[in-house]
C-alpha cells in the first residue's frame, strides 16, 4: 500500500490570507459586471443619445423639402367648367383666295387658310381633315405683319386641291 503525500502550506497565515483575497477579487469583478450589465440594459431601454453637429459645407441655406399636399377644395371656384376654346370651327376662320393662293392650289396641291392665332399645326391639320374630309400631308404656318396667322395645308396626292376648292366655294 502506497502512502499519499500531501504538501501542507509552509505557514498557516499564508493559507488563511490567500483565500479571502481571492474571494474579494471575485466579488469586486462580479460587482463591476453587474454595474456594466445595468448600464447596458439602461442604454438599450432608453437609447443612447449622441448629439451630432451638422457639418455645413455650403454658405447658402435652403429650406428642407417637406410634404406638399394637393388642394382639396370644399366647393368649386367656377360654377361650370369652361368649354374648350379651339374647336374645328373656331380654328379655321376662312380660306384665302388670292392669286398666290390659287397658284399654290394648282401647282403644289396646297390650300391656304386664315386660322386662329392660338392654333398649332396639329390642330389645323385635324380641323381641315374633319371639315373637308381630306388627308393633310403637311401644314406650314406664318404670322402676317398684321397679326393674322396663315396656314398652308398640303393635301395628299390622291386628292386634288382644285376639287376641294370647288367644293368649298373658293373658285
Amino acid at each position: 500500500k502506497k502512502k499519499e503525500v500531501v504538501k501542507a502550506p509552509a505557514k498557516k497565515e499564508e493559507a488563511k490570507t490567500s483565500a479571502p483575497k481571492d474571494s474579494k477579487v471575485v466579488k469586486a469583478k462580479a460587482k463591476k459586471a453587474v454595474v456594466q450589465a445595468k448600464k447596458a440594459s439602461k442604454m438599450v431601454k432608453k437609447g443612447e443619445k449622441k448629439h451630432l453637429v451638422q457639418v455645413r459645407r455650403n454658405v447658402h441655406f435652403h429650406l428642407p423639402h417637406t410634404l406638399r399636399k394637393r388642394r382639396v377644395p370644399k366647393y368649386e371656384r367656377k360654377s361650370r367648367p369652361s368649354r374648350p376654346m379651339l374647336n374645328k370651327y373656331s380654328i379655321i376662320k376662312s380660306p384665302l383666295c388670292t392669286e398666290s393662293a390659287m397658284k399654290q392650289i394648282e401647282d403644289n396641291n396646297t390650300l391656304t387658310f386664315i386660322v386662329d392665332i392660338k392654333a398649332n399645326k396639329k390642330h389645323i391639320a385635324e380641323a381641315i381633315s374633319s371639315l373637308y374630309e381630306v388627308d393633310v400631308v403637311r401644314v406650314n404656318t406664318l404670322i402676317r405683319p398684321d397679326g393674322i396667322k396663315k396656314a398652308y395645308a398640303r393635301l395628299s396626292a390622291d386628292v386634288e386641291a382644285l376639287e376641294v376648292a370647288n367644293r368649298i366655294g373658293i373658285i
Side-chain angles (χ1 to χ4, degrees), residues 43-105:
M43 284 298 182
V44 168
K45 288 176 191 171
K46 189 172 148 187
E48 191 174 347
K49 290 183 182 176
K50 287 185 179 179
H51 186 69
L52 296 174
V53 178
Q54 184 180 4
V55 178
R56 296 197 174 273
R57 294 182 176 88
N58 194 350
V59 295
H60 302 288
F61 177 78
H62 298 287
L63 286 173
H65 294 288
T66 57
L67 179 68
R68 292 182 186 149
K69 290 186 175 181
R70 292 189 132 210
R71 289 186 174 187
V72 185
K74 302 289 183 205
Y75 63 92
E76 290 291 325
R77 296 302 191 259
K78 290 183 177 180
S79 61
R80 62 185 173 89
S82 59
R83 292 193 325 216
M85 295 292 284
L86 295 173
N87 57 14
K88 60 185 177 183
Y89 301 108
S90 64
I91 289 173
I92 296 173
K93 292 183 179 176
S94 65
L96 201 65
C97 52
T98 58
E99 284 184 34
S100 60
M102 293 302 159
K103 188 166 175 124
Q104 289 284 335
I105 289 171

Short mmCIF file of all heavy atoms in Angstrom, two decimals, residues 43-105:
data_model
loop_
_atom_site.label_atom_id
_atom_site.label_comp_id
_atom_site.label_asym_id
_atom_site.label_seq_id
_atom_site.Cartn_x
_atom_site.Cartn_y
_atom_site.Cartn_z
N MET A 43 -29.13 51.58 -21.39
CA MET A 43 -28.90 52.14 -22.72
C MET A 43 -29.82 51.51 -23.76
O MET A 43 -30.31 52.17 -24.66
CB MET A 43 -27.44 51.95 -23.14
CG MET A 43 -26.50 52.89 -22.47
SD MET A 43 -26.92 54.57 -22.92
CE MET A 43 -25.66 55.44 -22.06
N VAL A 44 -30.04 50.21 -23.65
CA VAL A 44 -30.92 49.52 -24.60
C VAL A 44 -32.34 50.02 -24.47
O VAL A 44 -33.04 50.26 -25.45
CB VAL A 44 -30.84 47.99 -24.41
CG1 VAL A 44 -31.94 47.28 -25.17
CG2 VAL A 44 -29.48 47.49 -24.84
N LYS A 45 -32.81 50.17 -23.21
CA LYS A 45 -34.18 50.63 -22.99
C LYS A 45 -34.37 52.08 -23.41
O LYS A 45 -35.32 52.44 -24.07
CB LYS A 45 -34.55 50.48 -21.50
CG LYS A 45 -34.75 49.06 -21.05
CD LYS A 45 -35.02 49.01 -19.56
CE LYS A 45 -34.95 47.58 -19.03
NZ LYS A 45 -35.00 47.56 -17.58
N LYS A 46 -33.44 52.92 -23.03
CA LYS A 46 -33.57 54.36 -23.21
C LYS A 46 -33.08 54.80 -24.59
O LYS A 46 -33.64 55.70 -25.22
CB LYS A 46 -32.78 55.07 -22.11
CG LYS A 46 -32.98 56.55 -22.03
CD LYS A 46 -32.30 57.07 -20.79
CE LYS A 46 -31.78 58.46 -20.99
NZ LYS A 46 -30.98 58.92 -19.88
N GLY A 47 -32.05 54.18 -25.06
CA GLY A 47 -31.45 54.58 -26.31
C GLY A 47 -30.34 55.58 -26.06
O GLY A 47 -30.51 56.54 -25.30
N GLU A 48 -29.24 55.37 -26.70
CA GLU A 48 -28.11 56.24 -26.47
C GLU A 48 -28.27 57.51 -27.28
O GLU A 48 -28.57 57.47 -28.48
CB GLU A 48 -26.82 55.52 -26.89
CG GLU A 48 -25.58 56.23 -26.44
CD GLU A 48 -24.33 55.42 -26.74
OE1 GLU A 48 -24.46 54.23 -27.06
OE2 GLU A 48 -23.26 55.99 -26.64
N LYS A 49 -28.11 58.65 -26.65
CA LYS A 49 -28.27 59.92 -27.34
C LYS A 49 -26.90 60.47 -27.69
O LYS A 49 -26.08 60.74 -26.83
CB LYS A 49 -29.00 60.92 -26.44
CG LYS A 49 -30.44 60.57 -26.23
CD LYS A 49 -31.12 61.62 -25.40
CE LYS A 49 -32.56 61.25 -25.14
NZ LYS A 49 -33.23 62.19 -24.26
N LYS A 50 -26.71 60.60 -28.99
CA LYS A 50 -25.48 61.24 -29.46
C LYS A 50 -25.90 62.49 -30.20
O LYS A 50 -26.61 62.43 -31.19
CB LYS A 50 -24.72 60.31 -30.40
CG LYS A 50 -24.05 59.16 -29.70
CD LYS A 50 -23.23 58.38 -30.67
CE LYS A 50 -22.54 57.23 -29.99
NZ LYS A 50 -21.75 56.43 -30.91
N HIS A 51 -25.50 63.62 -29.75
CA HIS A 51 -25.84 64.89 -30.39
C HIS A 51 -24.72 65.23 -31.36
O HIS A 51 -23.62 65.60 -30.96
CB HIS A 51 -26.01 65.99 -29.35
CG HIS A 51 -26.49 67.27 -29.96
ND1 HIS A 51 -27.75 67.42 -30.47
CD2 HIS A 51 -25.86 68.45 -30.16
CE1 HIS A 51 -27.88 68.64 -30.96
NE2 HIS A 51 -26.75 69.29 -30.78
N LEU A 52 -25.01 65.04 -32.64
CA LEU A 52 -24.01 65.33 -33.66
C LEU A 52 -24.26 66.71 -34.24
O LEU A 52 -25.40 67.08 -34.54
CB LEU A 52 -24.08 64.29 -34.78
CG LEU A 52 -23.75 62.86 -34.38
CD1 LEU A 52 -24.00 61.93 -35.55
CD2 LEU A 52 -22.32 62.75 -33.92
N VAL A 53 -23.24 67.47 -34.43
CA VAL A 53 -23.33 68.78 -35.05
C VAL A 53 -23.27 68.59 -36.55
O VAL A 53 -22.38 67.89 -37.06
CB VAL A 53 -22.19 69.70 -34.57
CG1 VAL A 53 -22.26 71.05 -35.25
CG2 VAL A 53 -22.25 69.86 -33.07
N GLN A 54 -24.24 69.19 -37.28
CA GLN A 54 -24.29 69.04 -38.72
C GLN A 54 -23.17 69.87 -39.34
O GLN A 54 -23.00 71.05 -39.03
CB GLN A 54 -25.63 69.50 -39.27
CG GLN A 54 -25.76 69.29 -40.75
CD GLN A 54 -27.10 69.76 -41.27
OE1 GLN A 54 -27.89 70.32 -40.53
NE2 GLN A 54 -27.36 69.55 -42.53
N VAL A 55 -22.41 69.23 -40.20
CA VAL A 55 -21.32 69.92 -40.87
C VAL A 55 -21.88 70.58 -42.12
O VAL A 55 -22.46 69.91 -42.98
CB VAL A 55 -20.20 68.92 -41.25
CG1 VAL A 55 -19.09 69.64 -41.99
CG2 VAL A 55 -19.67 68.24 -40.02
N ARG A 56 -21.76 71.87 -42.21
CA ARG A 56 -22.26 72.62 -43.37
C ARG A 56 -21.09 72.97 -44.27
O ARG A 56 -20.15 73.62 -43.84
CB ARG A 56 -23.00 73.87 -42.93
CG ARG A 56 -24.24 73.54 -42.13
CD ARG A 56 -25.16 74.74 -42.06
NE ARG A 56 -26.40 74.39 -41.42
CZ ARG A 56 -27.44 73.88 -42.06
NH1 ARG A 56 -27.38 73.67 -43.34
NH2 ARG A 56 -28.55 73.59 -41.42
N ARG A 57 -21.18 72.54 -45.50
CA ARG A 57 -20.11 72.78 -46.45
C ARG A 57 -20.48 73.86 -47.45
O ARG A 57 -19.74 74.12 -48.39
CB ARG A 57 -19.77 71.48 -47.18
CG ARG A 57 -19.18 70.44 -46.26
CD ARG A 57 -18.81 69.18 -47.01
NE ARG A 57 -18.16 68.25 -46.14
CZ ARG A 57 -18.79 67.36 -45.39
NH1 ARG A 57 -20.11 67.30 -45.41
NH2 ARG A 57 -18.12 66.54 -44.61
N ASN A 58 -21.68 74.44 -47.29
CA ASN A 58 -22.17 75.45 -48.23
C ASN A 58 -22.64 76.65 -47.43
O ASN A 58 -23.22 76.51 -46.36
CB ASN A 58 -23.34 74.85 -49.03
CG ASN A 58 -23.68 75.69 -50.23
OD1 ASN A 58 -23.18 76.78 -50.38
ND2 ASN A 58 -24.52 75.15 -51.09
N VAL A 59 -22.43 77.85 -47.96
CA VAL A 59 -22.80 79.04 -47.21
C VAL A 59 -24.28 79.38 -47.35
O VAL A 59 -24.82 80.16 -46.58
CB VAL A 59 -21.96 80.27 -47.63
CG1 VAL A 59 -20.52 80.06 -47.27
CG2 VAL A 59 -22.12 80.54 -49.11
N HIS A 60 -24.95 78.80 -48.35
CA HIS A 60 -26.37 79.11 -48.58
C HIS A 60 -27.24 78.12 -47.82
O HIS A 60 -26.97 76.92 -47.80
CB HIS A 60 -26.70 79.04 -50.07
CG HIS A 60 -25.87 79.98 -50.88
ND1 HIS A 60 -26.04 81.33 -50.86
CD2 HIS A 60 -24.84 79.74 -51.73
CE1 HIS A 60 -25.17 81.90 -51.66
NE2 HIS A 60 -24.42 80.95 -52.20
N PHE A 61 -28.30 78.64 -47.24
CA PHE A 61 -29.24 77.78 -46.52
C PHE A 61 -30.49 77.59 -47.36
O PHE A 61 -31.09 78.54 -47.82
CB PHE A 61 -29.62 78.41 -45.17
CG PHE A 61 -30.64 77.60 -44.43
CD1 PHE A 61 -30.25 76.46 -43.75
CD2 PHE A 61 -31.97 77.97 -44.41
CE1 PHE A 61 -31.19 75.70 -43.07
CE2 PHE A 61 -32.91 77.21 -43.74
CZ PHE A 61 -32.51 76.08 -43.06
N HIS A 62 -30.88 76.35 -47.59
CA HIS A 62 -32.10 76.03 -48.32
C HIS A 62 -33.04 75.31 -47.37
O HIS A 62 -32.61 74.41 -46.65
CB HIS A 62 -31.81 75.13 -49.53
CG HIS A 62 -30.93 75.79 -50.53
ND1 HIS A 62 -31.38 76.80 -51.36
CD2 HIS A 62 -29.61 75.61 -50.84
CE1 HIS A 62 -30.38 77.20 -52.14
NE2 HIS A 62 -29.30 76.49 -51.84
N LEU A 63 -34.30 75.68 -47.40
CA LEU A 63 -35.28 75.00 -46.58
C LEU A 63 -35.41 73.55 -47.01
O LEU A 63 -35.33 73.26 -48.21
CB LEU A 63 -36.64 75.68 -46.69
CG LEU A 63 -36.79 77.01 -45.97
CD1 LEU A 63 -38.12 77.65 -46.33
CD2 LEU A 63 -36.72 76.82 -44.48
N PRO A 64 -35.62 72.64 -46.09
CA PRO A 64 -35.75 71.24 -46.49
C PRO A 64 -37.06 70.99 -47.23
O PRO A 64 -38.03 71.72 -47.05
CB PRO A 64 -35.73 70.49 -45.14
CG PRO A 64 -36.16 71.49 -44.15
CD PRO A 64 -35.69 72.83 -44.65
N HIS A 65 -37.05 69.96 -48.08
CA HIS A 65 -38.26 69.60 -48.81
C HIS A 65 -39.23 68.94 -47.84
O HIS A 65 -38.90 67.95 -47.19
CB HIS A 65 -37.94 68.64 -49.95
CG HIS A 65 -37.11 69.28 -51.02
ND1 HIS A 65 -37.62 70.23 -51.88
CD2 HIS A 65 -35.81 69.15 -51.34
CE1 HIS A 65 -36.68 70.62 -52.69
NE2 HIS A 65 -35.55 69.98 -52.40
N THR A 66 -40.44 69.47 -47.77
CA THR A 66 -41.45 68.92 -46.87
C THR A 66 -42.61 68.39 -47.68
O THR A 66 -42.65 68.52 -48.89
CB THR A 66 -41.95 70.01 -45.89
OG1 THR A 66 -42.45 71.11 -46.66
CG2 THR A 66 -40.84 70.49 -44.99
N LEU A 67 -43.56 67.81 -47.00
CA LEU A 67 -44.72 67.24 -47.66
C LEU A 67 -45.59 68.34 -48.26
O LEU A 67 -45.94 69.30 -47.58
CB LEU A 67 -45.55 66.43 -46.65
CG LEU A 67 -46.82 65.78 -47.19
CD1 LEU A 67 -46.47 64.68 -48.17
CD2 LEU A 67 -47.63 65.21 -46.05
N ARG A 68 -45.90 68.20 -49.53
CA ARG A 68 -46.77 69.16 -50.20
C ARG A 68 -48.04 68.44 -50.61
O ARG A 68 -48.00 67.57 -51.49
CB ARG A 68 -46.09 69.74 -51.43
CG ARG A 68 -44.93 70.62 -51.09
CD ARG A 68 -44.31 71.20 -52.33
NE ARG A 68 -43.12 71.92 -51.98
CZ ARG A 68 -42.07 72.05 -52.76
NH1 ARG A 68 -42.07 71.49 -53.95
NH2 ARG A 68 -41.02 72.72 -52.38
N LYS A 69 -49.14 68.81 -49.99
CA LYS A 69 -50.40 68.15 -50.28
C LYS A 69 -51.13 68.86 -51.41
O LYS A 69 -50.99 70.07 -51.59
CB LYS A 69 -51.29 68.13 -49.04
CG LYS A 69 -50.78 67.21 -47.96
CD LYS A 69 -51.77 67.13 -46.83
CE LYS A 69 -51.34 66.13 -45.79
NZ LYS A 69 -52.30 66.03 -44.70
N ARG A 70 -51.92 68.10 -52.17
CA ARG A 70 -52.74 68.69 -53.21
C ARG A 70 -53.91 69.42 -52.58
O ARG A 70 -54.34 69.08 -51.49
CB ARG A 70 -53.28 67.59 -54.14
CG ARG A 70 -52.20 66.95 -54.94
CD ARG A 70 -52.79 66.04 -55.97
NE ARG A 70 -52.13 66.35 -57.22
CZ ARG A 70 -52.68 66.22 -58.40
NH1 ARG A 70 -53.91 65.80 -58.52
NH2 ARG A 70 -52.01 66.51 -59.48
N ARG A 71 -54.43 70.38 -53.30
CA ARG A 71 -55.56 71.12 -52.79
C ARG A 71 -56.82 70.27 -52.84
O ARG A 71 -57.07 69.57 -53.82
CB ARG A 71 -55.78 72.38 -53.61
CG ARG A 71 -54.71 73.42 -53.37
CD ARG A 71 -55.07 74.67 -54.10
NE ARG A 71 -54.10 75.72 -53.76
CZ ARG A 71 -54.22 76.96 -54.13
NH1 ARG A 71 -55.24 77.33 -54.87
NH2 ARG A 71 -53.32 77.85 -53.79
N VAL A 72 -57.59 70.34 -51.79
CA VAL A 72 -58.87 69.64 -51.74
C VAL A 72 -59.92 70.69 -51.36
O VAL A 72 -60.24 70.88 -50.19
CB VAL A 72 -58.85 68.50 -50.70
CG1 VAL A 72 -60.15 67.72 -50.74
CG2 VAL A 72 -57.67 67.59 -50.92
N PRO A 73 -60.47 71.40 -52.37
CA PRO A 73 -61.38 72.49 -52.05
C PRO A 73 -62.72 71.98 -51.53
O PRO A 73 -63.17 70.88 -51.88
CB PRO A 73 -61.55 73.22 -53.38
CG PRO A 73 -61.26 72.19 -54.41
CD PRO A 73 -60.24 71.27 -53.79
N LYS A 74 -63.36 72.79 -50.70
CA LYS A 74 -64.67 72.44 -50.16
C LYS A 74 -65.76 72.65 -51.21
O LYS A 74 -66.80 72.02 -51.17
CB LYS A 74 -65.00 73.30 -48.93
CG LYS A 74 -63.98 73.19 -47.82
CD LYS A 74 -64.05 71.85 -47.14
CE LYS A 74 -63.07 71.81 -45.99
NZ LYS A 74 -62.65 70.48 -45.67
N TYR A 75 -65.53 73.58 -52.14
CA TYR A 75 -66.51 73.84 -53.20
C TYR A 75 -65.76 74.27 -54.46
O TYR A 75 -64.60 74.68 -54.40
CB TYR A 75 -67.51 74.92 -52.76
CG TYR A 75 -66.87 76.26 -52.50
CD1 TYR A 75 -66.76 77.23 -53.50
CD2 TYR A 75 -66.34 76.57 -51.24
CE1 TYR A 75 -66.16 78.43 -53.26
CE2 TYR A 75 -65.74 77.78 -51.01
CZ TYR A 75 -65.65 78.72 -52.02
OH TYR A 75 -65.04 79.93 -51.79
N GLU A 76 -66.44 74.17 -55.59
CA GLU A 76 -65.84 74.55 -56.86
C GLU A 76 -65.76 76.06 -56.96
O GLU A 76 -66.68 76.77 -56.58
CB GLU A 76 -66.69 74.01 -58.02
CG GLU A 76 -66.62 72.51 -58.18
CD GLU A 76 -65.27 72.03 -58.64
OE1 GLU A 76 -64.61 72.73 -59.44
OE2 GLU A 76 -64.86 70.95 -58.18
N ARG A 77 -64.66 76.56 -57.50
CA ARG A 77 -64.49 78.01 -57.65
C ARG A 77 -65.22 78.54 -58.88
O ARG A 77 -65.53 79.71 -58.95
CB ARG A 77 -63.01 78.36 -57.73
CG ARG A 77 -62.21 78.04 -56.47
CD ARG A 77 -62.79 78.74 -55.26
NE ARG A 77 -61.93 78.68 -54.08
CZ ARG A 77 -62.11 77.84 -53.08
NH1 ARG A 77 -63.08 76.95 -53.10
NH2 ARG A 77 -61.32 77.87 -52.03
N LYS A 78 -65.46 77.67 -59.85
CA LYS A 78 -66.22 78.07 -61.05
C LYS A 78 -67.57 77.38 -61.01
O LYS A 78 -67.69 76.25 -60.56
CB LYS A 78 -65.49 77.63 -62.32
CG LYS A 78 -64.22 78.41 -62.58
CD LYS A 78 -63.63 77.95 -63.89
CE LYS A 78 -62.39 78.74 -64.23
NZ LYS A 78 -61.82 78.30 -65.50
N SER A 79 -68.58 78.06 -61.50
CA SER A 79 -69.92 77.48 -61.49
C SER A 79 -70.02 76.29 -62.44
O SER A 79 -70.70 75.32 -62.16
CB SER A 79 -70.97 78.53 -61.84
OG SER A 79 -70.72 79.03 -63.14
N ARG A 80 -69.33 76.39 -63.58
CA ARG A 80 -69.29 75.26 -64.51
C ARG A 80 -67.95 75.27 -65.22
O ARG A 80 -67.34 76.34 -65.38
CB ARG A 80 -70.45 75.32 -65.50
CG ARG A 80 -70.46 76.54 -66.38
CD ARG A 80 -71.70 76.57 -67.27
NE ARG A 80 -71.77 77.82 -67.97
CZ ARG A 80 -71.21 78.03 -69.16
NH1 ARG A 80 -70.53 77.10 -69.75
NH2 ARG A 80 -71.34 79.21 -69.75
N PRO A 81 -67.47 74.12 -65.65
CA PRO A 81 -66.16 74.10 -66.32
C PRO A 81 -66.23 74.81 -67.67
O PRO A 81 -67.26 74.78 -68.35
CB PRO A 81 -65.87 72.62 -66.47
CG PRO A 81 -67.18 71.93 -66.35
CD PRO A 81 -68.04 72.80 -65.48
N SER A 82 -65.14 75.43 -68.04
CA SER A 82 -65.11 76.18 -69.30
C SER A 82 -65.01 75.21 -70.48
O SER A 82 -64.41 74.14 -70.39
CB SER A 82 -63.94 77.14 -69.32
OG SER A 82 -62.73 76.42 -69.15
N ARG A 83 -65.61 75.60 -71.57
CA ARG A 83 -65.56 74.80 -72.79
C ARG A 83 -64.22 74.96 -73.47
O ARG A 83 -63.54 75.97 -73.27
CB ARG A 83 -66.68 75.23 -73.74
CG ARG A 83 -68.06 74.90 -73.22
CD ARG A 83 -69.10 75.05 -74.27
NE ARG A 83 -68.82 76.17 -75.18
CZ ARG A 83 -69.74 76.94 -75.71
NH1 ARG A 83 -70.99 76.75 -75.42
NH2 ARG A 83 -69.41 77.91 -76.53
N PRO A 84 -63.82 74.00 -74.29
CA PRO A 84 -62.55 74.16 -74.99
C PRO A 84 -62.60 75.37 -75.93
O PRO A 84 -63.61 75.58 -76.62
CB PRO A 84 -62.39 72.86 -75.77
CG PRO A 84 -63.68 72.15 -75.67
CD PRO A 84 -64.45 72.73 -74.53
N MET A 85 -61.55 76.14 -75.92
CA MET A 85 -61.52 77.39 -76.69
C MET A 85 -61.45 77.12 -78.19
O MET A 85 -62.08 77.81 -78.97
CB MET A 85 -60.32 78.24 -76.27
CG MET A 85 -60.38 78.71 -74.84
SD MET A 85 -61.67 79.90 -74.55
CE MET A 85 -60.92 81.34 -75.26
N LEU A 86 -60.66 76.12 -78.58
CA LEU A 86 -60.45 75.87 -80.00
C LEU A 86 -61.18 74.61 -80.43
O LEU A 86 -60.85 73.52 -80.01
CB LEU A 86 -58.96 75.73 -80.30
CG LEU A 86 -58.10 76.97 -80.07
CD1 LEU A 86 -56.64 76.64 -80.24
CD2 LEU A 86 -58.49 78.08 -81.01
N ASN A 87 -62.20 74.78 -81.26
CA ASN A 87 -62.80 73.63 -81.93
C ASN A 87 -62.56 73.80 -83.43
O ASN A 87 -61.98 74.80 -83.86
CB ASN A 87 -64.30 73.49 -81.60
CG ASN A 87 -65.10 74.72 -81.95
OD1 ASN A 87 -64.61 75.59 -82.67
ND2 ASN A 87 -66.30 74.83 -81.43
N LYS A 88 -62.99 72.84 -84.21
CA LYS A 88 -62.64 72.88 -85.64
C LYS A 88 -63.23 74.09 -86.36
O LYS A 88 -62.67 74.57 -87.34
CB LYS A 88 -63.06 71.59 -86.33
CG LYS A 88 -64.53 71.27 -86.27
CD LYS A 88 -64.79 69.91 -86.90
CE LYS A 88 -66.25 69.53 -86.78
NZ LYS A 88 -66.49 68.20 -87.32
N TYR A 89 -64.34 74.61 -85.85
CA TYR A 89 -64.96 75.78 -86.49
C TYR A 89 -64.28 77.09 -86.10
O TYR A 89 -64.28 78.05 -86.87
CB TYR A 89 -66.45 75.85 -86.14
CG TYR A 89 -67.19 74.62 -86.58
CD1 TYR A 89 -67.64 73.70 -85.64
CD2 TYR A 89 -67.41 74.34 -87.92
CE1 TYR A 89 -68.31 72.55 -86.03
CE2 TYR A 89 -68.08 73.19 -88.33
CZ TYR A 89 -68.52 72.29 -87.37
OH TYR A 89 -69.17 71.16 -87.76
N SER A 90 -63.71 77.13 -84.90
CA SER A 90 -63.03 78.36 -84.49
C SER A 90 -61.56 78.38 -84.92
O SER A 90 -60.95 79.44 -84.96
CB SER A 90 -63.13 78.55 -82.98
OG SER A 90 -62.45 77.52 -82.31
N ILE A 91 -61.00 77.21 -85.23
CA ILE A 91 -59.61 77.18 -85.68
C ILE A 91 -59.49 77.77 -87.07
O ILE A 91 -58.70 78.68 -87.31
CB ILE A 91 -59.06 75.73 -85.66
CG1 ILE A 91 -58.88 75.28 -84.21
CG2 ILE A 91 -57.75 75.63 -86.41
CD1 ILE A 91 -58.50 73.83 -84.07
N ILE A 92 -60.31 77.27 -88.00
CA ILE A 92 -60.24 77.76 -89.38
C ILE A 92 -61.25 78.88 -89.55
O ILE A 92 -62.46 78.67 -89.47
CB ILE A 92 -60.52 76.62 -90.37
CG1 ILE A 92 -59.43 75.58 -90.23
CG2 ILE A 92 -60.60 77.15 -91.79
CD1 ILE A 92 -59.64 74.34 -91.01
N LYS A 93 -60.73 80.09 -89.78
CA LYS A 93 -61.62 81.25 -89.93
C LYS A 93 -62.15 81.35 -91.35
O LYS A 93 -63.36 81.50 -91.55
CB LYS A 93 -60.87 82.53 -89.54
CG LYS A 93 -60.56 82.58 -88.05
CD LYS A 93 -59.90 83.87 -87.69
CE LYS A 93 -59.60 83.92 -86.20
NZ LYS A 93 -58.87 85.13 -85.84
N SER A 94 -61.25 81.28 -92.34
CA SER A 94 -61.71 81.37 -93.73
C SER A 94 -60.62 80.87 -94.67
O SER A 94 -59.43 80.93 -94.32
CB SER A 94 -62.05 82.82 -94.08
OG SER A 94 -60.88 83.61 -94.03
N PRO A 95 -61.01 80.40 -95.85
CA PRO A 95 -60.00 80.08 -96.86
C PRO A 95 -59.53 81.38 -97.54
O PRO A 95 -60.26 82.36 -97.58
CB PRO A 95 -60.74 79.18 -97.84
CG PRO A 95 -62.17 79.47 -97.64
CD PRO A 95 -62.34 79.95 -96.24
N LEU A 96 -58.32 81.36 -98.02
CA LEU A 96 -57.75 82.55 -98.66
C LEU A 96 -57.79 82.34 -100.17
O LEU A 96 -57.38 81.30 -100.68
CB LEU A 96 -56.31 82.74 -98.17
CG LEU A 96 -55.74 84.12 -98.30
CD1 LEU A 96 -56.50 85.10 -97.42
CD2 LEU A 96 -54.27 84.11 -97.88
N CYS A 97 -58.32 83.33 -100.89
CA CYS A 97 -58.43 83.18 -102.35
C CYS A 97 -57.77 84.36 -103.06
O CYS A 97 -58.44 85.16 -103.72
CB CYS A 97 -59.88 83.00 -102.78
SG CYS A 97 -60.98 84.25 -102.15
N THR A 98 -56.47 84.44 -102.90
CA THR A 98 -55.70 85.45 -103.64
C THR A 98 -55.04 84.76 -104.83
O THR A 98 -55.15 83.54 -104.99
CB THR A 98 -54.60 86.04 -102.73
OG1 THR A 98 -53.76 84.99 -102.26
CG2 THR A 98 -55.21 86.77 -101.54
N GLU A 99 -54.35 85.55 -105.66
CA GLU A 99 -53.71 84.97 -106.84
C GLU A 99 -52.62 83.97 -106.44
O GLU A 99 -52.50 82.89 -107.04
CB GLU A 99 -53.07 86.08 -107.68
CG GLU A 99 -54.09 86.88 -108.47
CD GLU A 99 -53.43 87.91 -109.36
OE1 GLU A 99 -52.31 87.63 -109.86
OE2 GLU A 99 -54.02 88.96 -109.55
N SER A 100 -51.84 84.34 -105.43
CA SER A 100 -50.77 83.43 -105.00
C SER A 100 -51.36 82.15 -104.37
O SER A 100 -50.80 81.06 -104.54
CB SER A 100 -49.85 84.13 -104.00
OG SER A 100 -50.59 84.54 -102.86
N ALA A 101 -52.51 82.28 -103.69
CA ALA A 101 -53.16 81.10 -103.12
C ALA A 101 -53.67 80.19 -104.24
O ALA A 101 -53.59 78.96 -104.13
CB ALA A 101 -54.30 81.52 -102.21
N MET A 102 -54.21 80.78 -105.32
CA MET A 102 -54.68 79.98 -106.46
C MET A 102 -53.51 79.26 -107.13
O MET A 102 -53.63 78.11 -107.55
CB MET A 102 -55.37 80.89 -107.50
CG MET A 102 -56.66 81.48 -107.02
SD MET A 102 -57.79 80.17 -106.56
CE MET A 102 -58.87 81.06 -105.50
N LYS A 103 -52.37 79.95 -107.22
CA LYS A 103 -51.19 79.32 -107.80
C LYS A 103 -50.74 78.13 -106.95
O LYS A 103 -50.35 77.09 -107.49
CB LYS A 103 -50.08 80.36 -107.92
CG LYS A 103 -48.90 79.86 -108.69
CD LYS A 103 -47.99 81.00 -109.06
CE LYS A 103 -46.78 80.45 -109.72
NZ LYS A 103 -46.49 80.92 -111.01
N GLN A 104 -50.82 78.27 -105.61
CA GLN A 104 -50.49 77.16 -104.69
C GLN A 104 -51.43 75.98 -104.91
O GLN A 104 -51.01 74.82 -104.88
CB GLN A 104 -50.59 77.63 -103.23
CG GLN A 104 -49.50 78.57 -102.78
CD GLN A 104 -48.20 77.85 -102.52
OE1 GLN A 104 -48.17 76.66 -102.24
NE2 GLN A 104 -47.10 78.58 -102.66
N ILE A 105 -52.71 76.26 -105.12
CA ILE A 105 -53.70 75.19 -105.34
C ILE A 105 -53.35 74.42 -106.61
O ILE A 105 -53.34 73.18 -106.62
CB ILE A 105 -55.13 75.77 -105.43
CG1 ILE A 105 -55.58 76.27 -104.07
CG2 ILE A 105 -56.11 74.73 -105.96
CD1 ILE A 105 -56.87 77.05 -104.09
#
